[in-house]
Every structure is written in C-alpha cells, then in structure tokens.
Amino acid sequence: MTELEYINEFQKRKSSELTEETISLINQAVKDYPNSEKLWILRGDLLQLIDVEIGIPLEESLNSYKRALEINPDSSEANFEMASFLNNVLDQTEKAHMFYQKAKNA
C-alpha cells in the first residue's frame, strides 16, 4: 500500500469498530513509512479508540504523538493531538497548554 492508501484506510476505520487487525495494519504502515507524521498521528488516534481488552497501553498513543513531533516539531496537527491527549487522557492541563500554543502558532 502507498502512504496515502494507508491514511485513507485508517481514516475510514476511525469511525467503525476497531480490531486487532487494525492494530497490525497501523503497525505495518509505520514500519513501511517510518517518517510519515500523519501515520504516526493516526496510530496515536486509533490506539486510543481500540478496545482496552486487546491490551494496548495508552502510553503507545503518547509514543506515537511523540514520534510525529520528532518528525515535524512544528506540525499543528501533531501538537494539537499531543495537547488533547495530555489534557483529556492524562489530565496534564499545564503541559497540554504548551502544545496547544504550539499548535495555534504553527
């Protein structure tokens, strides 16, 4: 699959039931395109939506957003997703504010 095909596939899956097959596919996508900021962001988003019974720790979402920011520290989308995760999931409002500011200024 091309990077764009992966992106389109995951955007469709975000609104449906997510499975272990989705996890495998997103992990394959970031292996195939390790420098794709968008795929790392989608991985972070998808991992938050997957049933916790599958056993993926939420830290994996955080790691995905960190990787996206390593690729592009000025990414508005990556900074916003990191801020949202910190604020809504980890309840780290102060730290999230910094990323919201970066997203706004990007």
Side-chain angles (χ1 to χ4, degrees):
M1 271 196 203
T2 67
E3 180 181 10
L4 185 56
E5 288 171 330
Y6 274 127
I7 290 168
N8 290 334
E9 179 64 25
F10 296 125
Q11 287 175 330
K12 284 190 284 187
R13 289 181 185 223
K14 280 174 73 172
S15 61
S16 64
E17 185 177 326
L18 301 172
T19 64
E20 289 186 50
E21 189 261 337
T22 302
I23 296 171
S24 295
L25 193 59
I26 191 64
N27 287 335
Q28 184 60 49
V30 295
K31 279 184 188 175
D32 291 348
Y33 300 95
N35 294 316
S36 172
E37 163 197 340
K38 182 65 177 175
L39 285 173
W40 283 105
I41 292 168
L42 284 168
R43 182 177 186 269
D45 293 348
L46 289 168
L47 291 179
Q48 288 183 69
L49 300 173
I50 289 177
D51 187 346
V52 292
E53 292 177 13
I54 292 175
I56 304 294
L58 281 175
E59 282 185 3
E60 280 302 307
S61 289
L62 181 64
N63 292 337
S64 295
Y65 298 133
K66 285 180 180 178
R67 179 66 183 119
L69 287 168
E70 287 172 6
I71 295 165
N72 183 3
D74 298 323
S75 166
S76 178
E77 184 179 10
N79 277 289
F80 180 81
E81 293 299 336
M82 175 65 91
S84 296
F85 183 82
L86 291 170
N87 190 45
N88 300 325
V89 177
L90 300 182
D91 199 29
Q92 295 179 2
T93 308
E94 205 169 298
K95 192 172 183 180
H97 181 72
M98 177 184 72
F99 288 98
Y100 280 129
Q101 285 300 112
K102 287 179 83 172
K104 185 175 135 185
N105 296 329

